[in-house]
Amino acid sequence: MDLHNLKPAEGAVHKEGKRVGRGEGSGKGGTSTRGHKGAKARSGYSKKIGFEGGQMPLQRRVPKFGFKNINRKEYRGINLAKLQELVDNAGVKNEVTLDTLIQNGLAHKNDLVKILGNGELKAPLKVSAHKFSASAKAAIEAAGGEAISL
Protein backbone atom coordinates (compact mmCIF):
# COMPACT_ATOMS: atom_id res chain seq x y z
CA MET A 1 0.00 0.00 0.00
CA ASP A 2 1.36 3.39 -1.05
CA LEU A 3 0.10 6.92 -0.78
CA HIS A 4 -1.01 6.93 -4.43
CA ASN A 5 -3.50 4.07 -4.05
CA LEU A 6 -5.18 5.13 -0.77
CA LYS A 7 -8.91 5.79 -1.01
CA PRO A 8 -11.71 6.16 1.54
CA ALA A 9 -13.86 3.22 2.60
CA GLU A 10 -16.92 2.29 0.54
CA GLY A 11 -19.87 4.59 1.38
CA ALA A 12 -17.78 6.97 3.49
CA VAL A 13 -17.76 9.77 0.90
CA HIS A 14 -21.03 11.40 -0.13
CA LYS A 15 -21.13 13.29 -3.39
CA GLU A 16 -22.43 16.78 -2.75
CA GLY A 17 -25.49 17.93 -4.69
CA LYS A 18 -25.51 20.64 -7.34
CA ARG A 19 -24.46 23.99 -5.75
CA VAL A 20 -26.26 26.72 -7.62
CA GLY A 21 -26.10 30.50 -7.39
CA ARG A 22 -22.39 30.60 -6.47
CA GLY A 23 -21.22 32.98 -9.17
CA GLU A 24 -20.39 32.81 -12.87
CA GLY A 25 -17.18 30.85 -12.37
CA SER A 26 -19.09 27.84 -10.97
CA GLY A 27 -20.87 27.30 -14.28
CA LYS A 28 -24.19 27.45 -12.41
CA GLY A 29 -24.37 31.19 -11.76
CA GLY A 30 -26.64 33.83 -13.28
CA THR A 31 -30.04 32.14 -13.46
CA SER A 32 -28.98 29.26 -11.17
CA THR A 33 -30.17 26.62 -13.69
CA ARG A 34 -33.73 27.98 -13.65
CA GLY A 35 -33.78 29.53 -17.10
CA HIS A 36 -35.08 33.01 -17.88
CA LYS A 37 -38.28 34.34 -16.26
CA GLY A 38 -41.58 32.47 -15.97
CA ALA A 39 -43.28 30.88 -12.96
CA LYS A 40 -40.64 28.14 -12.58
CA ALA A 41 -37.85 30.74 -12.27
CA ARG A 42 -39.53 32.43 -9.30
CA SER A 43 -39.20 31.52 -5.65
CA GLY A 44 -42.23 29.88 -4.04
CA TYR A 45 -43.32 28.13 -7.23
CA SER A 46 -45.21 24.87 -6.85
CA LYS A 47 -47.36 23.25 -9.52
CA LYS A 48 -50.95 22.42 -8.62
CA ILE A 49 -51.95 18.76 -8.71
CA GLY A 50 -53.49 18.00 -12.12
CA PHE A 51 -52.06 21.16 -13.75
CA GLU A 52 -51.64 20.62 -17.48
CA GLY A 53 -49.76 23.73 -18.54
CA GLY A 54 -52.84 25.89 -18.97
CA GLN A 55 -54.76 23.25 -20.93
CA MET A 56 -58.18 22.51 -19.40
CA PRO A 57 -57.37 19.83 -16.82
CA LEU A 58 -58.87 16.36 -17.04
CA GLN A 59 -60.98 16.74 -13.90
CA ARG A 60 -62.71 19.74 -15.53
CA ARG A 61 -63.02 18.22 -19.02
CA VAL A 62 -64.90 15.11 -17.88
CA PRO A 63 -68.66 15.64 -17.57
CA LYS A 64 -70.13 15.35 -14.10
CA PHE A 65 -73.82 14.71 -13.56
CA GLY A 66 -76.21 12.56 -11.57
CA PHE A 67 -76.16 11.25 -8.04
CA LYS A 68 -75.09 7.92 -6.57
CA ASN A 69 -76.93 7.00 -3.41
CA ILE A 70 -74.46 5.09 -1.21
CA ASN A 71 -77.31 3.59 0.82
CA ARG A 72 -79.17 2.15 -2.19
CA LYS A 73 -80.39 -1.44 -1.87
CA GLU A 74 -80.46 -3.42 -5.11
CA TYR A 75 -83.24 -6.03 -5.32
CA ARG A 76 -83.48 -9.01 -7.69
CA GLY A 77 -86.93 -8.76 -9.27
CA ILE A 78 -88.86 -12.01 -9.80
CA ASN A 79 -92.25 -11.95 -11.50
CA LEU A 80 -95.30 -14.05 -10.63
CA ALA A 81 -95.02 -15.72 -14.05
CA LYS A 82 -91.64 -17.19 -12.95
CA LEU A 83 -93.20 -18.53 -9.73
CA GLN A 84 -95.96 -20.17 -11.80
CA GLU A 85 -93.23 -21.73 -14.00
CA LEU A 86 -91.63 -23.18 -10.87
CA VAL A 87 -94.95 -24.78 -9.96
CA ASP A 88 -95.51 -26.11 -13.50
CA ASN A 89 -91.98 -27.27 -14.42
CA ALA A 90 -89.79 -27.53 -11.30
CA GLY A 91 -92.28 -29.43 -9.17
CA VAL A 92 -92.62 -26.81 -6.43
CA LYS A 93 -95.74 -27.67 -4.44
CA ASN A 94 -96.87 -25.14 -1.85
CA GLU A 95 -93.91 -23.11 -0.58
CA VAL A 96 -91.37 -20.84 -2.30
CA THR A 97 -88.46 -19.77 -0.11
CA LEU A 98 -85.15 -18.05 -0.92
CA ASP A 99 -83.50 -21.48 -1.01
CA THR A 100 -86.00 -22.63 -3.66
CA LEU A 101 -85.23 -19.56 -5.80
CA ILE A 102 -81.45 -20.07 -5.42
CA GLN A 103 -81.67 -23.79 -6.35
CA ASN A 104 -83.65 -22.94 -9.49
CA GLY A 105 -81.20 -20.21 -10.55
CA LEU A 106 -83.57 -17.27 -10.11
CA ALA A 107 -81.43 -15.60 -7.41
CA HIS A 108 -77.96 -15.74 -5.90
CA LYS A 109 -77.31 -16.42 -2.23
CA ASN A 110 -76.54 -12.77 -1.35
CA ASP A 111 -79.38 -11.22 -3.37
CA LEU A 112 -82.26 -9.29 -1.87
CA VAL A 113 -85.41 -10.56 -3.62
CA LYS A 114 -88.53 -8.61 -4.55
CA ILE A 115 -91.59 -10.35 -5.98
CA LEU A 116 -93.19 -8.36 -8.79
CA GLY A 117 -96.73 -8.61 -10.12
CA ASN A 118 -96.17 -9.35 -13.82
CA GLY A 119 -97.88 -12.53 -14.96
CA GLU A 120 -100.53 -14.76 -13.44
CA LEU A 121 -100.32 -17.03 -10.41
CA LYS A 122 -102.86 -19.86 -10.15
CA ALA A 123 -101.29 -22.02 -7.43
CA PRO A 124 -101.82 -21.18 -3.74
CA LEU A 125 -98.21 -20.58 -2.69
CA LYS A 126 -96.63 -19.52 0.59
CA VAL A 127 -93.95 -17.12 -0.74
CA SER A 128 -91.05 -15.83 1.37
CA ALA A 129 -89.06 -12.85 0.04
CA HIS A 130 -87.54 -9.57 1.21
CA LYS A 131 -90.15 -7.38 -0.50
CA PHE A 132 -93.38 -7.59 -2.50
CA SER A 133 -94.98 -5.14 -4.88
CA ALA A 134 -98.59 -4.31 -3.97
CA SER A 135 -99.95 -6.05 -7.09
CA ALA A 136 -97.86 -9.20 -6.41
CA LYS A 137 -99.04 -9.40 -2.80
CA ALA A 138 -102.67 -9.00 -3.91
CA ALA A 139 -102.29 -11.68 -6.62
CA ILE A 140 -100.66 -14.18 -4.24
CA GLU A 141 -103.41 -13.69 -1.65
CA ALA A 142 -106.13 -13.86 -4.37
CA ALA A 143 -104.75 -17.25 -5.44
CA GLY A 144 -105.11 -18.46 -1.83
CA GLY A 145 -101.46 -18.11 -0.90
CA GLU A 146 -99.51 -16.10 1.63
CA ALA A 147 -96.79 -13.41 1.20
CA ILE A 148 -94.19 -13.44 3.98
CA SER A 149 -91.66 -10.58 4.18
CA LEU A 150 -88.25 -11.49 5.61
Side-chain angles (χ1 to χ4, degrees), residues 103-140:
Q103 285 166 4
N104 290 290
L106 293 176
H108 297 293
K109 66 178 184 174
N110 295 326
D111 282 347
L112 296 173
V113 174
K114 182 171 182 175
I115 306 299
L116 305 172
N118 193 0
E120 195 178 345
L121 184 68
K122 299 177 191 104
L125 290 176
K126 186 177 179 183
V127 184
S128 301
H130 295 100
K131 271 196 171 182
F132 294 88
S133 70
S135 59
K137 195 166 194 163
I140 291 168

Coordinates of all heavy atoms in Angstrom, one line a residue, residues 103-140:
Q103 N -81.9 -22.5 -5.7 CA -81.7 -23.8 -6.3 C -82.1 -23.8 -7.8 O -81.5 -24.5 -8.6 CB -82.5 -24.9 -5.6 CG -81.8 -25.2 -4.3 CD -82.7 -26.0 -3.4 OE1 -83.8 -26.4 -3.7 NE2 -82.3 -26.3 -2.1
N104 N -83.1 -23.0 -8.1 CA -83.6 -22.9 -9.5 C -83.0 -21.8 -10.3 O -83.4 -21.6 -11.4 CB -85.2 -22.8 -9.5 CG -85.8 -24.0 -9.0 OD1 -85.9 -25.1 -9.7 ND2 -86.4 -24.0 -7.8
G105 N -82.0 -21.2 -9.8 CA -81.2 -20.2 -10.5 C -81.9 -18.9 -10.7 O -81.4 -18.1 -11.6
L106 N -82.9 -18.6 -10.0 CA -83.6 -17.3 -10.1 C -82.9 -16.2 -9.3 O -83.2 -15.0 -9.5 CB -85.0 -17.4 -9.7 CG -85.9 -18.3 -10.7 CD1 -87.3 -18.4 -10.2 CD2 -85.9 -17.7 -12.1
A107 N -82.1 -16.6 -8.3 CA -81.4 -15.6 -7.4 C -80.1 -16.2 -7.0 O -79.9 -17.4 -7.0 CB -82.3 -15.3 -6.2
H108 N -79.2 -15.3 -6.5 CA -78.0 -15.7 -5.9 C -78.1 -15.7 -4.4 O -79.0 -15.0 -3.9 CB -76.8 -14.9 -6.4 CG -76.6 -14.9 -7.9 ND1 -76.1 -16.1 -8.5 CD2 -76.8 -14.0 -8.9 CE1 -76.1 -15.9 -9.8 NE2 -76.4 -14.6 -10.0
K109 N -77.1 -16.3 -3.7 CA -77.3 -16.4 -2.2 C -77.3 -15.1 -1.5 O -77.9 -15.0 -0.4 CB -76.3 -17.4 -1.6 CG -74.8 -16.9 -1.8 CD -73.9 -17.9 -1.1 CE -72.5 -17.4 -1.1 NZ -71.6 -18.2 -0.4
N110 N -76.6 -14.1 -2.0 CA -76.5 -12.8 -1.3 C -77.6 -11.8 -1.9 O -77.5 -10.6 -1.4 CB -75.1 -12.2 -1.5 CG -74.1 -13.1 -0.8 OD1 -74.4 -13.6 0.3 ND2 -72.9 -13.1 -1.3
D111 N -78.4 -12.2 -2.8 CA -79.4 -11.2 -3.4 C -80.5 -10.9 -2.4 O -80.9 -11.7 -1.6 CB -80.0 -11.8 -4.6 CG -79.1 -11.7 -5.8 OD1 -78.1 -11.0 -5.8 OD2 -79.4 -12.4 -6.8
L112 N -81.0 -9.7 -2.5 CA -82.3 -9.3 -1.9 C -83.3 -9.5 -2.9 O -83.1 -9.1 -4.1 CB -82.2 -7.8 -1.4 CG -81.2 -7.5 -0.3 CD1 -81.2 -6.0 -0.1 CD2 -81.6 -8.2 1.0
V113 N -84.4 -10.2 -2.6 CA -85.4 -10.6 -3.6 C -86.7 -9.8 -3.4 O -87.2 -9.6 -2.3 CB -85.7 -12.1 -3.5 CG1 -86.8 -12.5 -4.5 CG2 -84.4 -12.9 -3.8
K114 N -87.2 -9.3 -4.6 CA -88.5 -8.6 -4.6 C -89.4 -9.3 -5.6 O -89.0 -9.6 -6.7 CB -88.4 -7.1 -4.9 CG -89.7 -6.4 -4.9 CD -89.5 -4.9 -5.0 CE -90.8 -4.1 -4.9 NZ -90.6 -2.7 -5.0
I115 N -90.6 -9.7 -5.1 CA -91.6 -10.4 -6.0 C -92.4 -9.3 -6.7 O -93.0 -8.4 -6.0 CB -92.5 -11.3 -5.2 CG1 -91.6 -12.3 -4.4 CG2 -93.4 -12.1 -6.1 CD1 -90.8 -13.2 -5.2
L116 N -92.5 -9.4 -8.0 CA -93.2 -8.4 -8.8 C -94.5 -9.0 -9.4 O -94.5 -10.2 -9.6 CB -92.3 -7.8 -9.9 CG -90.9 -7.3 -9.4 CD1 -90.0 -6.9 -10.6 CD2 -91.2 -6.0 -8.6
G117 N -95.4 -8.1 -9.8 CA -96.7 -8.6 -10.1 C -97.0 -8.9 -11.6 O -98.1 -9.1 -12.0
N118 N -96.0 -9.1 -12.4 CA -96.2 -9.3 -13.8 C -96.4 -10.8 -14.0 O -95.7 -11.7 -13.6 CB -94.9 -8.9 -14.6 CG -95.2 -8.9 -16.1 OD1 -96.3 -9.2 -16.6 ND2 -94.1 -8.5 -16.9
G119 N -97.5 -11.1 -14.7 CA -97.9 -12.5 -15.0 C -99.0 -12.9 -14.1 O -99.6 -12.1 -13.4
E120 N -99.4 -14.3 -14.2 CA -100.5 -14.8 -13.4 C -100.1 -15.9 -12.6 O -99.3 -16.8 -13.0 CB -101.6 -15.2 -14.4 CG -103.0 -15.4 -13.8 CD -104.0 -15.8 -14.9 OE1 -103.7 -15.7 -16.1 OE2 -105.1 -16.3 -14.4
L121 N -100.6 -15.9 -11.3 CA -100.3 -17.0 -10.4 C -101.6 -17.8 -10.1 O -102.6 -17.2 -9.6 CB -99.7 -16.5 -9.1 CG -99.2 -17.5 -8.1 CD1 -98.0 -18.3 -8.7 CD2 -98.8 -16.8 -6.8
K122 N -101.6 -19.1 -10.4 CA -102.9 -19.9 -10.1 C -102.7 -20.7 -8.9 O -103.7 -21.0 -8.2 CB -103.1 -20.8 -11.4 CG -103.4 -20.0 -12.6 CD -103.6 -20.9 -13.8 CE -103.5 -20.2 -15.1 NZ -102.3 -20.4 -15.8
A123 N -101.5 -21.1 -8.6 CA -101.3 -22.0 -7.4 C -101.3 -21.2 -6.1 O -100.7 -20.1 -6.0 CB -100.0 -22.7 -7.6
P124 N -101.9 -21.8 -5.1 CA -101.8 -21.2 -3.7 C -100.4 -21.4 -3.1 O -100.2 -22.5 -2.6 CB -102.9 -21.9 -3.0 CG -103.1 -23.2 -3.6 CD -102.7 -23.0 -5.0
L125 N -99.6 -20.4 -3.2 CA -98.2 -20.6 -2.7 C -98.0 -19.7 -1.4 O -98.5 -18.6 -1.3 CB -97.2 -20.1 -3.8 CG -97.1 -21.0 -5.0 CD1 -96.1 -20.3 -6.0 CD2 -96.5 -22.4 -4.6
K126 N -97.1 -20.3 -0.6 CA -96.6 -19.5 0.6 C -95.3 -19.0 0.2 O -94.3 -19.8 0.1 CB -96.5 -20.4 1.8 CG -96.2 -19.8 3.1 CD -96.2 -20.8 4.2 CE -95.8 -20.2 5.5 NZ -95.7 -21.2 6.6
V127 N -95.2 -17.7 -0.2 CA -94.0 -17.1 -0.7 C -93.2 -16.3 0.3 O -93.8 -15.4 0.9 CB -94.3 -16.2 -2.0 CG1 -93.0 -15.7 -2.6 CG2 -95.1 -17.0 -3.0
S128 N -91.9 -16.6 0.5 CA -91.1 -15.8 1.4 C -90.1 -15.0 0.5 O -89.3 -15.6 -0.3 CB -90.3 -16.8 2.3 OG -91.2 -17.5 3.0
A129 N -90.0 -13.7 0.7 CA -89.1 -12.9 0.0 C -88.8 -11.6 0.9 O -89.5 -11.4 1.9 CB -89.6 -12.5 -1.3
H130 N -87.9 -10.8 0.5 CA -87.5 -9.6 1.2 C -88.6 -8.5 1.0 O -88.9 -7.7 1.9 CB -86.1 -9.0 0.8 CG -85.1 -10.0 1.2 ND1 -84.5 -10.9 0.3 CD2 -84.4 -10.2 2.4 CE1 -83.6 -11.6 0.9 NE2 -83.5 -11.2 2.1
K131 N -89.2 -8.4 -0.2 CA -90.2 -7.4 -0.5 C -91.2 -7.9 -1.5 O -90.9 -8.8 -2.3 CB -89.5 -6.1 -1.1 CG -89.1 -5.1 0.0 CD -88.8 -3.8 -0.7 CE -88.6 -2.7 0.4 NZ -88.3 -1.4 -0.1
F132 N -92.3 -7.3 -1.5 CA -93.4 -7.6 -2.5 C -93.9 -6.3 -3.1 O -94.1 -5.3 -2.3 CB -94.5 -8.4 -1.8 CG -94.1 -9.7 -1.3 CD1 -93.6 -9.9 -0.1 CD2 -94.3 -10.8 -2.1 CE1 -93.2 -11.1 0.4 CE2 -93.9 -12.1 -1.7 CZ -93.4 -12.2 -0.4
S133 N -94.2 -6.3 -4.3 CA -95.0 -5.1 -4.9 C -96.4 -5.3 -4.5 O -96.9 -6.4 -4.1 CB -94.9 -5.1 -6.4 OG -95.6 -6.1 -7.0
A134 N -97.2 -4.2 -4.4 CA -98.6 -4.3 -4.0 C -99.4 -5.2 -4.9 O -100.2 -6.1 -4.4 CB -99.2 -2.9 -4.0
S135 N -99.2 -5.2 -6.2 CA -99.9 -6.1 -7.1 C -99.6 -7.5 -6.9 O -100.4 -8.4 -7.0 CB -99.7 -5.6 -8.5 OG -98.3 -5.7 -8.9
A136 N -98.3 -7.8 -6.6 CA -97.9 -9.2 -6.4 C -98.5 -9.8 -5.1 O -99.0 -10.9 -5.1 CB -96.3 -9.3 -6.3
K137 N -98.5 -9.0 -4.1 CA -99.0 -9.4 -2.8 C -100.5 -9.7 -3.0 O -101.0 -10.7 -2.5 CB -98.8 -8.3 -1.7 CG -99.0 -8.8 -0.3 CD -98.5 -7.8 0.6 CE -98.4 -8.4 2.0 NZ -97.6 -7.7 3.0
A138 N -101.2 -8.8 -3.7 CA -102.7 -9.0 -3.9 C -102.9 -10.3 -4.7 O -103.8 -11.0 -4.4 CB -103.2 -7.8 -4.6
A139 N -102.1 -10.5 -5.8 CA -102.3 -11.7 -6.6 C -102.0 -13.0 -5.9 O -102.7 -14.0 -6.1 CB -101.4 -11.6 -7.8
I140 N -101.0 -13.0 -5.0 CA -100.7 -14.2 -4.2 C -101.8 -14.5 -3.3 O -102.2 -15.7 -3.2 CB -99.3 -14.0 -3.5 CG1 -98.2 -13.9 -4.4 CG2 -99.1 -15.1 -2.4 CD1 -96.8 -13.5 -3.8

